């Protein structure tokens, strides 16, 4: 059975804002012994899979077998994340025996079983960290747990837009589709990525706005900013600060932090920078005060209405 105190465990949901470093954040959190966590976003599609399986009258073992099949990354990852499938299944059955077969209980049991496979002391765990990743699934987590905290990752758009279009959509589309279809689909890539960057607006739909904390990707790449940020995160989560948070690991094993390569080519046209700065002016003013960006004039807004119809550098390639 699931230990009673875990039934009301606090939950931290990590959400990402389009290539904003949610996995990097989790790798820094990995060393904290009060956090019950699995690496990466292996359970990103847990809820859709659960709803699909829950339509059938499967036994406990059949449910477990099917969930394992749908989450192969738990066992097929690299040496840092891979665990023994037989032991995991055994632990999962132990935690779920005599329990209601619900999404909440399964989510708790999966994290507990994974922790046990790593020989961690679950008695020290105070918060379940779920790398939910996708904003729209937050509503399902809210139904299962009452005490939810959210860390939402943000990233400066001017440094990441071109890379996300290229590596997040265009290149995968080129591999997935034939030449003609890929060209047609990629015409929408630029707008899709901009829309994803703007999705931070979802905060307005979260029930308890006090329990939302924003972390910028840039703060994780600077030693001083990172230390300051994790002190704030620990205060937000009401857990003890640990110096171990300054080291990125996966299941306690070293993980190399890669810096983004600097692109030598010019990413944006001048007119493109005008309307991008207008579109994300409020975002930059609020979340990136260190940039010392000024509030745009009415004249700049009027100018953007004309240049927004001009093609971007990415779109004319």
């Amino acid at each position: 059975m699931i230990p009673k105190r875990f039934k009301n465990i606090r939950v931290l949901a990590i959400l990402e804002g389009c290539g904003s470093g949610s996995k990097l954040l989790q790798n820094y959190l990995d060393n904290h012994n009060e956090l019950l966590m699995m690496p990466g976003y292996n359970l990103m599609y847990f809820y859709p899979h659960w709803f699909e399986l829950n339509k059938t009258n499967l036994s406990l073992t059949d449910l477990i077998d099917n969930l394992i099949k749908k989450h192969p990354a738990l066992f097929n990852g690299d040496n840092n994340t891979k665990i023994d499938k037989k032991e995991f299944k055994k632990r999962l059955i132990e935690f779920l025996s005599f329990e209601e077969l619900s999404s909440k209980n399964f989510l708790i049991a999966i994290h507990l079983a994974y922790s046990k496979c790593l020989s961690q002391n679950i008695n020290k765990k105070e918060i379940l960290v779920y790398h939910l990743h996708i904003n729209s699934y937050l509503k399902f987590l809210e139904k299962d747990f009452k005490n939810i905290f959210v860390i939402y990752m943000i990233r400066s758009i001017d440094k990441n837009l071109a890379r996300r279009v290229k590596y997040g959509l265009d290149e995968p589309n080129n591999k997935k589709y034939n030449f003609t279809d890929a060209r047609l689909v990629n015409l929408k890539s630029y707008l899709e990525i901009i829309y994803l960057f703007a999705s931070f607006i979802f905060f307005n739909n979260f029930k308890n706005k006090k329990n939302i904390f924003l972390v910028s990707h840039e703060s994780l790449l600077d030693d001083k900013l990172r230390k300051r940020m994790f002190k704030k995160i620990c205060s937000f989560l009401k857990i003890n600060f640990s110096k171990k948070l300054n080291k990125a690991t996966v299941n306690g094993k070293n993980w190399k932090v890669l810096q983004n390569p600097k692109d030598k080519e010019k990413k944006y046209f001048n007119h493109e920078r005008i309307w991008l700065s207008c579109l994300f002016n409020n975002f930059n003013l609020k979340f990136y005060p260190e940039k010392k960006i000024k509030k745009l004039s009415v004249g700049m807004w009027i100018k953007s209405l004309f240049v927004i119809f001009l093609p971007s550098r990415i779109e004319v390639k």
Side-chain angles (χ1 to χ4, degrees):
M1 294 182 68
I2 296 172
K4 188 175 180 180
R5 75 181 191 88
F6 287 102
K7 293 296 183 72
N8 296 311
I9 192 170
R10 291 180 291 155
V11 175
L12 168 62
I14 298 178
L15 301 174
E16 75 103 30
C18 192
S20 49
S22 57
K23 190 182 288 186
L24 178 60
L25 169 71
Q26 194 178 10
N27 288 339
Y28 279 115
L29 292 173
D30 180 70
N31 270 319
H32 204 294
N33 61 8
E34 293 179 65
L35 302 179
L36 180 64
M37 183 174 68
M38 298 172 63
Y41 31 83
N42 296 325
L43 293 176
M44 180 168 61
Y45 298 113
F46 168 77
Y47 277 107
H49 289 153
W50 172 262
F51 296 141
E52 179 188 340
L53 293 172
N54 201 38
K55 292 177 182 177
T56 56
N57 293 320
L58 296 176
S59 64
L60 174 59
T61 53
D62 287 336
L63 268 173
I64 291 173
D65 286 338
N66 277 278
L67 281 170
I68 285 175
K69 286 179 183 178
K70 291 181 179 295
H71 299 91
L74 288 172
F75 316 101
N76 300 332
D78 57 33
N79 291 329
N80 286 0
T81 60
K82 194 161 51 177
I83 58 172
D84 183 76
K85 187 185 293 187
K86 288 184 179 179
E87 183 183 359
F88 177 75
K89 185 177 178 180
K90 177 186 173 184
R91 298 283 188 182
L92 203 50
I93 291 173
E94 289 174 359
F95 284 120
L96 288 170
S97 294
F98 306 107
E99 294 283 0
E100 178 191 359
L101 299 183
S102 65
S103 55
K104 176 183 177 179
N105 286 338
F106 255 87
L107 200 57
I108 295 170
I110 287 171
H111 282 82
L112 288 172
Y114 192 91
S115 183
K116 277 289 189 180
C117 288
L118 297 176
S119 301
Q120 295 177 348
N121 184 356
I122 64 171
N123 293 322
K124 292 183 178 181
K125 306 299 182 183
E126 298 294 333
I127 297 178
L128 188 157
V129 180
Y130 181 22
H131 196 153
L132 188 58
H133 204 68
I134 299 176
N135 303 344
S136 58
Y137 294 162
L138 184 60
K139 59 188 176 185
F140 305 130
L141 195 67
E142 286 183 292
K143 290 181 180 179
D144 281 344
F145 298 91
K146 294 180 180 179
N147 203 351
I148 298 177
F149 297 80
V150 173
I151 286 182
Y152 190 78
M153 298 297 301
I154 59 174
R155 190 171 185 175
S156 178
I157 187 170
D158 58 323
K159 295 180 180 179
N160 197 33
L161 176 58
R163 289 180 55 80
R164 294 310 299 173
V165 172
K166 181 178 179 181
Y167 299 111
L169 290 179
D170 284 358
E171 288 197 356
N173 288 339
N174 291 339
K175 293 177 182 177
K176 186 177 180 181
Y177 302 107
N178 62 41
F179 178 79
T180 305
D181 289 346
R183 293 289 291 180
L184 289 171
V185 172
N186 288 344
L187 288 174
K188 299 188 296 182
S189 297
Y190 186 69
L191 291 177
E192 284 184 26
I193 294 298
I194 289 176
Y195 176 79
L196 287 172
F197 268 108
S199 65
F200 70 90
I201 298 170
F202 96 99
F203 291 140
N204 296 326
N205 299 323
F206 189 65
K207 290 179 181 177
N208 189 349
K209 294 181 183 180
K210 292 181 180 178
N211 283 354
I212 293 177
F213 191 85
L214 287 96
V215 176
S216 71
H217 179 267
E218 292 78 11
S219 69
L220 299 179
L221 300 178
D222 180 274
D223 290 341
K224 290 183 179 179
L225 290 177
R226 184 170 61 248
K227 185 176 181 180
R228 198 182 309 155
M229 179 61 71
F230 277 113
K231 283 185 176 181
K232 291 180 180 179
I233 289 174
C234 289
S235 176
F236 168 67
L237 297 175
K238 298 177 182 178
I239 57 176
N240 296 317
F241 175 75
S242 171
K243 291 182 179 179
K244 291 181 179 180
L245 291 171
N246 199 43
K247 187 178 182 181
T249 60
V250 176
N251 289 342
K253 298 176 183 177
N254 289 340
W255 189 80
K256 188 177 180 180
V257 178
L258 299 175
Q259 298 287 342
N260 286 332
K262 294 182 179 180
D263 294 327
K264 295 181 180 180
E265 61 179 311
K266 191 176 180 181
K267 297 179 184 178
Y268 311 108
F269 289 130
N270 289 333
H271 69 260
E272 189 178 359
R273 290 186 179 279
I274 291 174
W275 73 263
L276 282 174
S277 64
C278 288
L279 182 62
F280 290 94
N281 185 242
N282 288 337
F283 175 82
N284 288 324
L285 284 170
K286 185 173 182 178
F287 302 121
Y288 288 94
E290 66 275 10
K291 289 185 176 184
K292 298 179 180 179
I293 295 172
K294 296 180 180 180
K295 194 168 184 178
L296 296 179
S297 64
V298 175
M300 185 63 79
W301 280 106
I302 294 173
K303 193 174 182 179
S304 71
L305 293 177
F306 293 94
V307 299
I308 197 170
F309 293 103
L310 298 175
S312 69
R313 183 177 291 274
I314 297 170
E315 290 173 315
V316 298
K317 282 185 177 180

